[in-house]
Amino acid sequence: MTDTAASATEKDYSATLFLPETEFPMRAGLPDREPIWLKRWQDMDIYERQREQAKDRPLFTLHDGPPYANGNIHIGHALNKTLKDLVSRSMQMLGHNAAYIPGWDCHGLPIEWKIEEQYRAKGKDKNEVPVVEFRQECRAFAESWVDIQREEFKRLGILGEWDNPYLTMSFDAEAQIARELMKVSMSGQLYRGSKPVMWSVVERTALAEAEIEYADYESDTIWVKFPVTKGPHLGASVVIWTTTPWTIPANRAISFSNRVDYGVYEVTDAPAENWAKVGEKYIIADKLAAEVFAKAKVAGFEKRAVVSADDLNAITAAHPLRGLADGYNFDVPLLDGEHVTDDAGTGFVHTAPGHGLDDFGIWMDSTRLLQDRGIDPSIPYVVGDDGFYTSEAPGFDGARVIDDNGKKGDANNRVIAALAEHGNIIARGRVKHQYPHSWRSKKPVIYRNTPQWFVYMDKAIEGVEGDTLRHRALNAIDATKFYPAAGQNRLRAMIADRPDWVLSRQRAWGVPITVFVHKESGEILRDELVNHRIAQSFEEEGADAWYKPGAAERYLGEGYKAGDYEMVSDVLDVWFDSGSTHAFVLRNKQKWPHLKFPASMYLEGSDQHRGWFHSSLLESCATNGYAPYDSVLTHGFTMDGEGKKMSKSLGNTVAPQDIIKQYGADILRLWVASSDYSEDLRLGKEIIQTTVDAYRKLRNTLRWLLGNLAHFKADDVVDFRDMPELERLMLHRLAQLDAGVRSAYKEYDYRKVVSLLSNFMNIELSAFYFDIRKDTLYCDPISSAKRRSALTVLDHLFNALTAWLAPILVFTMEECWLERHPGENESVHLRLFPDIPAEWLDDDLADKWQLIRGVRRVVTGALEIERREKRIGSSLEAAPKVFVSDARYIEALEGQDLAEIAITSAIAVSQGEGPAEAFKLDDVPGVSVEPALAEGSRCARSWKVLPEVGSDPEYPDVTLRDAQALRERAAAGL
């Protein structure tokens, strides 16, 4: 056997090889290069070119849920906007006209709060500033942040109509929001009522459920007795437990349950100084008696009587503060309520209808019963908007529930002291529990009875029996597709159980509730001409027109006297603003002709089931009768690498700006696409590095494709029918992938897209097909049909992969595409996903090659041991013997060049079991391999070791194949 080592005089044939040639760099340099592509897209107005190109295609509209225009974007924004971009770009490439109009929520407390902070820093009093001037400052603040956020979103590679976004504060938007409200009013769905709402003392406004978050909070707890004054069990007291002592002055009833067993219990042993005295009798739920007496430090007690539901219905009690400051002299009834349980407390619920939804509900449901018993059903306003008690809480002048800084006031202590003085408290304590806080100020809120504007959930709309807002909304949910599907049940449960919709906020920066109320009758003025005047003025001047001198007379005209009407000063909740975007965006064909209504999709974080999805559904159902969307997609929240919530205090936040600066936006986009967005997403240094590594592998595969395609010419194309089996196998896989990728994009499963393409590019291309075909592509003669077939396949691979990855790696695929197809009008983002011929599918061929690849794995496994033992350096130094006893493998290998497939210089295939010591793999039965060294000399050009090297007199140091390649190159002048 001839020594295969290269000699010192061996000729360098590298210049004669078709080695990869490309200027596409191995190092991406994304932070520096991405802005170049952004400028290019802007200069060529690629978004508008897409619209023109797609003008006759079916519309797909992802409607943008508007972020607040206040502050730099964070990683949650980046996740949200990138997902939206993946949807729009992929649907565009699937053959739709997928216009994307970004929007901003510009009204509301977050912006108003910022201006007030500026005022406080300057010692300026907001109340001394004219409201229109204040609103103009809010508008200017919002405009400045819209500009900042717009550039940050564009840097992420988000493609949209950035020069023509929608803003809830634009004049046409404010006019349409007012029109939507007036539609609700005209249909009889709007009313002013009194109801407990979540109230922020710090921010002086009612809050929607979506503006509430829960945090640990320590509350005072008290056990209070209400002496029985009428009915059975005179001399006993009903005991309640509450975590809000400050609501005791607002108490008007006690709720019980007919499903709970109650008894009269007498104290038989207690310390002399105890609040609960020996001989006192308390009515308590049987299940909770022992726990209550333990809290009251009672050493002994006896049950004296059973108390039935009929007994409780007949009882009237005295308020525990009766007589304080000549107040609280009313009767306190007992009401049977479904919300009462004996899981905790005393089995009775202290009922303050102005400070709890359950309390309010049972009180209102009992109106007729209360009137029959001579009890006034009106609800007191016990706490003002500033957290101080009002005059309807006698004896507590100057007491405050919560102060301007969100701290506990003195109300609890003063109430507890008064109860003790009246002898009607038996125990107190403290409990740490989850309590509602404002998500903006992070301060606790209270339920407070206030006059607010509401939309009925259960009133028949325009008198049509059964046609209620709740009914419409529930039907609309059933007609909507949800991704993931669990979102449907979540939204349905929220709609099914929600109270009437509170629309009003007591603030200045927003769209006003454009309603006039007759001062005497309390009736809402419903007049289309007045409504038209209001909307028209908003179109021309914005909602500031409502606050200008003479506005009432201007709108009411000659038909009404301004002095007879109250012009409502509240503004709309911003959720109504954003809930109305479908009306002034999706239906505004003049401004945005490429949008459809209902939208194809709304996409936001999972918290928007109670936010934008929710308010948009209610608003559209109220004014249109159906949902504003065909489908809803929700994503999770961004957590740190360990699954913890990101927090500045913990120092575990990840800013998208930092990732872009260090790695580039494509890395951030690949992380989004690779993640399971239906769950919370993790992001930390290790996860970023994993994404960077995955990106590099994809980039290197594309770089290798580009390098080899530098040698591809139009006349090299080979029809797939004339290709070798290996090339037809790759085209079969492309056809399979086409179906899988298209399906995944249609189902918004970007993680599957990344998985399919990464596995294909890393495992089937780089580690298999490219590995095998390097020799053919680099060394074969110019005339080689196999080489031209491989180049044709590479061309198909490039066209498909750059398109399939374009929605995800928007910058890299543009760079890749232009490397091969330069031109001012060229862009990968003007392409559709390529049509892959179905005739490329060949399942029988794929099954056959599955067997061949099995044999290849046994060969490579055997050679890996030889390398490890340093018996060979390269697989081309080997000529293994392959023994095959399984008929399936024998048939599959027939006619195949197994040496080429296994990347050896030669190979011998024999039927039979082979030696016992031969290498085997358990999952490839009937195949074994015995390593052997290749015989002959090493080709100086292809490095194959063959006996034929030296047999060509003109090129004695290469194989016959390589000699022919060299002759053809010489003839071609290369």
Side-chain angles (χ1 to χ4, degrees):
M1 186 176 74
T2 304
D3 183 9
T4 62
S7 70
T9 59
E10 191 175 78
K11 184 176 179 180
D12 182 6
Y13 282 102
S14 60
T16 71
L17 300 174
F18 290 107
L19 292 175
E21 296 176 9
T22 180
E23 293 184 6
F24 186 76
M26 182 179 295
R27 292 181 65 84
L30 293 176
D32 296 325
R33 296 178 66 82
E34 287 175 344
I36 297 172
W37 306 121
L38 286 172
K39 185 176 186 307
R40 185 177 189 275
W41 294 332
Q42 182 174 337
D43 291 346
M44 69 185 293
D45 199 357
I46 192 168
Y47 178 83
E48 197 52 46
R49 288 196 184 191
Q50 280 192 351
R51 303 287 70 74
E52 178 61 29
Q53 189 184 63
K55 62 184 178 182
D56 297 324
R57 297 183 200 161
L59 299 177
F60 181 95
T61 299
L62 185 152
H63 183 36
D64 188 31
Y68 275 118
N70 67 326
N72 296 99
I73 68 169
H74 52 66
I75 195 66
H77 287 120
L79 164 64
N80 177 263
K81 279 291 195 285
T82 301
L83 273 176
K84 290 173 179 175
D85 197 52
L86 292 175
V87 172
S88 293
R89 287 181 182 272
S90 59
M91 296 311 291
Q92 179 80 14
M93 297 187 79
L94 280 166
H96 296 270
N97 184 352
Y100 174 68
I101 311 300
W104 275 272
D105 212 343
C106 303
H107 294 127
L109 197 55
I111 292 165
E112 192 167 347
W113 190 253
K114 291 291 184 181
I115 301 302
E116 290 186 17
E117 282 181 350
Q118 294 176 12
Y119 279 10
R120 285 192 289 271
K122 298 174 184 176
K124 196 172 177 181
D125 187 350
K126 171 194 170 185
N127 296 323
E128 295 178 1
V129 178
V131 66
V132 172
E133 181 182 327
F134 178 79
R135 288 170 58 87
Q136 288 172 348
E137 290 192 61
C138 291
R139 181 179 294 275
F141 180 89
E143 285 173 348
S144 68
W145 280 108
V146 166
D147 290 340
I148 293 169
Q149 288 188 1
R150 180 185 357 234
E151 294 308 308
E152 291 179 321
F153 286 137
K154 287 165 69 175
R155 183 61 186 85
L156 289 167
I158 313 302
L159 186 62
E161 200 162 323
W162 292 108
D163 294 334
N164 186 30
Y166 78 82
L167 309 177
T168 58
M169 67 179 181
S170 64
F171 289 0
D172 60 330
E174 291 182 332
Q176 190 57 41
I177 292 167
R179 288 190 190 100
E180 293 297 296
L181 172 73
M182 292 184 288
K183 285 181 192 176
V184 174
S185 175
M186 292 297 290
S187 65
Q189 299 177 73
L190 183 71
Y191 73 96
R192 180 155 62 179
S194 164
K195 195 171 187 177
V197 294
M198 290 284 197
W199 183 267
S200 170
V201 172
V202 174
E203 296 151 302
R204 295 291 200 280
T205 192
L207 299 179
E209 290 179 24
E211 297 168 304
I212 296 296
E213 61 185 18
Y214 285 80
D216 284 341
Y217 186 76
E218 188 173 70
S219 293
D220 294 301
T221 61
I222 54 173
W223 287 256
V224 179
K225 61 181 185 179
F226 287 66
V228 176
T229 57
K230 297 178 186 175
H233 309 295
L234 288 170
S237 295
V238 178
V239 178
I240 64 92
W241 172 77
T242 181
T243 59
T244 55
W246 60 268
T247 60
I248 290 294
N251 175 277
R252 291 299 182 269
I254 300 168
S255 298
F256 69 93
S257 172
N258 60 41
R259 300 180 303 278
V260 172
D261 295 325
Y262 297 93
V264 175
Y265 291 84
E266 182 177 346
V267 177
T268 59
D269 187 10
E273 69 280 4
N274 215 33
W275 277 337
K277 307 294 186 184
V278 173
E280 290 187 340
K281 296 178 181 177
Y282 304 140
I283 303 175
I284 305 171
D286 291 341
K287 181 179 172 183
L288 296 166
E291 181 181 330
V292 171
F293 285 120
K295 295 291 184 183
K297 299 177 181 177
V298 169
F301 61 92
E302 296 285 346
K303 184 175 181 179
R304 299 303 187 198
V306 171
V307 180
S308 67
D310 289 340
D311 290 344
L312 295 173
N313 273 316
I315 285 176
T316 298
H319 194 284
L321 296 175
R322 175 170 284 189
L324 176 65
D326 296 324
Y328 312 103
N329 294 317
F330 45 82
D331 288 338
V332 176
L334 270 65
L335 306 175
D336 192 350
E338 293 184 1
H339 63 291
V340 182
T341 70
D342 57 0
D343 294 337
T346 67
F348 292 100
V349 174
H350 144 59
T351 301
H355 298 286
L357 291 179
D358 287 332
D359 299 28
F360 177 84
I362 192 171
W363 184 258
M364 296 304 293
D365 290 343
S366 305
T367 299
R368 181 169 296 177
L369 172 65
L370 296 171
Q371 290 172 335
D372 289 346
R373 294 175 66 170
I375 295 172
D376 181 2
S378 62
I379 300 173
Y381 293 96
V382 170
V383 179
D385 62 0
D386 54 4
F388 283 100
Y389 280 129
T390 68
S391 60
E392 295 192 59
F396 297 103
D397 295 347
R400 200 174 193 187
V401 179
I402 291 177
D403 67 20
D404 290 335
N405 297 314
K407 302 293 185 183
K408 282 184 191 176
D410 59 348
N412 277 356
N413 286 338
R414 286 187 58 178
V415 168
I416 291 170
L419 289 169
E421 187 177 334
H422 280 67
N424 285 326
I425 185 171
I426 66 169
R428 67 176 297 180
R430 288 183 179 172
V431 61
K432 184 172 281 190
H433 59 144
Q434 290 282 292
Y435 188 84
H437 288 63
S438 165
W439 69 272
R440 293 185 193 91
S441 67
K442 308 300 180 185
K443 303 302 182 184
V445 300
I446 59 173
Y447 265 110
R448 173 176 169 262
N449 192 41
T450 59
Q452 300 288 348
W453 288 93
F454 298 86
V455 176
Y456 291 108
M457 288 299 298
D458 298 306
K459 182 181 178 182
I461 298 173
E462 295 185 304
V464 179
E465 189 65 31
D467 184 21
T468 67
L469 181 52
R470 194 185 311 275
H471 178 74
R472 288 182 178 184
L474 291 173
N475 284 346
I477 291 169
D478 292 341
T480 300
K481 177 79 171 175
F482 284 81
Y483 302 91
Q488 185 173 47
N489 289 335
R490 186 174 180 188
L491 183 55
R492 173 172 257 285
M494 290 178 176
I495 294 294
D497 295 334
R498 68 154 297 133
D500 288 350
W501 187 11
V502 185
L503 296 188
S504 47
R505 294 292 181 270
Q506 292 67 47
R507 305 301 294 183
W509 176 229
V511 176
I513 293 180
T514 48
V515 167
F516 287 91
V517 180
H518 196 274
K519 291 179 178 177
E520 288 189 7
S521 68
E523 291 293 319
I524 297 172
L525 176 63
R526 295 185 174 91
D527 186 311
E528 291 289 10
L529 184 57
V530 173
N531 293 348
H532 174 75
R533 292 191 193 111
I534 293 169
Q536 192 61 38
S537 74
F538 282 21
E539 288 276 2
E540 297 166 0
E541 307 164 43
D544 287 355
W546 186 260
Y547 300 95
K548 292 179 179 178
E553 290 79 4
R554 173 186 184 182
Y555 297 138
L556 293 173
E558 296 180 358
Y560 306 96
K561 293 180 180 179
D564 293 341
Y565 287 89
E566 173 198 352
M567 188 177 182
V568 174
S569 59
D570 291 349
V571 298
L572 283 165
D573 172 21
V574 290
W575 291 110
F576 191 92
D577 284 18
S578 57
S580 303
T581 54
H582 62 85
F584 60 85
V585 180
L586 301 180
R587 307 186 96 170
N588 192 340
K589 285 292 185 181
Q590 184 176 357
K591 200 169 184 179
W592 296 292
H594 303 294
L595 302 182
K596 66 182 282 286
F597 177 80
S600 308
M601 173 176 284
Y602 276 31
L603 184 162
E604 298 299 330
S606 56
D607 58 333
Q608 295 307 307
H609 288 109
R610 62 178 184 143
W612 191 54
F613 300 147
H614 197 120
S615 64
S616 297
L617 175 69
L618 292 182
E619 204 290 322
S620 183
C621 285
T623 55
N624 301 309
Y626 49 89
Y629 39 67
D630 295 331
S631 65
V632 166
L633 186 149
T634 53
H635 60 80
F637 297 101
T638 305
M639 318 297 276
D640 73 4
E642 297 179 358
K644 296 177 183 176
K645 185 176 180 180
M646 288 190 183
S647 165
K648 288 182 180 179
S649 62
L650 294 176
N652 64 346
T653 57
V654 179
Q657 296 86 348
D658 293 340
I659 296 177
I660 291 169
K661 185 177 180 180
Q662 184 171 356
Y663 302 104
D666 264 356
I667 299 302
L668 194 56
R669 295 178 67 95
L670 183 58
W671 164 72
V672 172
S674 304
S675 302
D676 180 2
Y677 62 76
S678 67
E679 304 287 342
D680 289 338
L681 291 77
R682 295 188 179 193
L683 184 60
K685 289 182 180 179
E686 290 184 9
I687 293 170
I688 294 171
Q689 189 56 54
T690 299
T691 306
V692 169
D693 293 342
Y695 170 84
R696 284 176 181 156
K697 290 178 181 178
L698 297 176
R699 186 179 181 90
N700 287 339
T701 299
L702 291 162
R703 185 172 184 271
W704 193 87
L705 275 172
L706 280 168
N708 283 278
L709 285 169
H711 307 296
F712 179 63
K713 300 176 180 59
D715 57 1
D716 285 335
V717 175
V718 177
D719 186 271
F720 90 99
R721 298 172 188 82
D722 301 324
M723 291 181 178
E725 281 189 7
L726 183 56
E727 275 59 45
R728 286 190 282 121
L729 175 67
M730 288 300 103
L731 295 184
H732 163 80
R733 286 294 295 124
L734 263 188
Q736 280 188 321
L737 271 175
D738 179 54
V741 168
R742 285 175 180 269
S743 174
Y745 270 127
K746 287 176 183 177
E747 289 296 310
Y748 317 107
D749 190 348
Y750 309 113
R751 187 185 189 191
K752 185 175 182 181
V753 172
V754 172
S755 175
L756 286 171
L757 296 181
S758 295
N759 288 337
F760 177 66
M761 294 170 74
N762 297 334
I763 298 170
E764 297 189 60
L765 293 185
S766 294
F768 175 66
Y769 180 63
F770 293 172
D771 210 23
I772 293 171
R773 280 295 181 246
K774 281 177 183 176
D775 176 72
T776 297
L777 288 164
Y778 297 174
C779 302
D780 266 18
I782 295 171
S783 63
S784 165
K786 187 192 298 182
R787 176 180 161 275
R788 290 189 295 108
S789 295
L791 284 170
T792 303
V793 168
L794 295 191
D795 182 53
H796 290 311
L797 285 168
F798 179 85
N799 289 337
L801 292 173
T802 50
W804 291 339
L805 284 168
I808 299 168
L809 301 175
V810 296
F811 298 102
T812 304
M813 291 309 104
E814 183 79 330
E815 180 186 12
C816 195
W817 181 256
L818 292 176
E819 180 69 22
R820 192 166 175 223
H821 300 286
E824 287 186 6
N825 296 317
E826 276 290 338
S827 174
V828 72
H829 301 299
L830 294 175
R831 298 177 61 201
L832 296 175
F833 291 145
D835 292 324
I836 305 295
E839 59 185 346
W840 287 359
L841 286 168
D842 191 336
D843 290 334
D844 291 339
L845 180 67
D847 291 342
K848 175 182 178 180
W849 271 83
Q850 189 68 24
L851 295 170
I852 295 171
R853 292 183 71 171
V855 176
R856 181 178 188 265
R857 284 197 297 111
V858 182
V859 175
T860 55
L863 296 184
E864 189 57 42
I865 295 174
E866 297 303 294
R867 273 200 199 92
R868 190 170 67 237
E869 298 299 324
K870 302 191 184 305
R871 289 191 283 266
I872 62 171
S874 159
S875 62
L876 290 175
E877 296 176 17
K881 299 173 183 177
V882 178
F883 302 93
V884 185
S885 61
D886 190 312
R888 296 174 303 153
Y889 294 104
I890 294 170
E891 183 180 354
L893 291 171
E894 188 175 341
Q896 301 295 331
D897 185 348
L898 187 56
E900 177 185 64
I901 295 167
I903 316 177
T904 59
S905 289
I907 209 160
V909 179
S910 304
Q911 292 191 31
E913 292 292 339
E917 66 274 13
F919 181 82
K920 302 179 182 66
L921 290 176
D922 291 342
D923 61 336
V924 188
V927 178
S928 59
V929 175
E930 187 176 50
L933 292 174
E935 297 182 351
S937 300
R938 188 177 82 163
C939 173
R941 186 168 182 267
S942 64
W943 295 1
K944 287 186 177 181
V945 179
L946 291 171
E948 67 185 49
V949 174
S951 60
D952 189 299
E954 189 175 357
Y955 297 102
D957 54 351
V958 299
T959 67
L960 297 178
R961 185 274 311 262
D962 288 274
Q964 179 61 26
L966 291 169
R967 286 191 186 90
E968 290 188 14
R969 289 183 65 88
L974 298 175

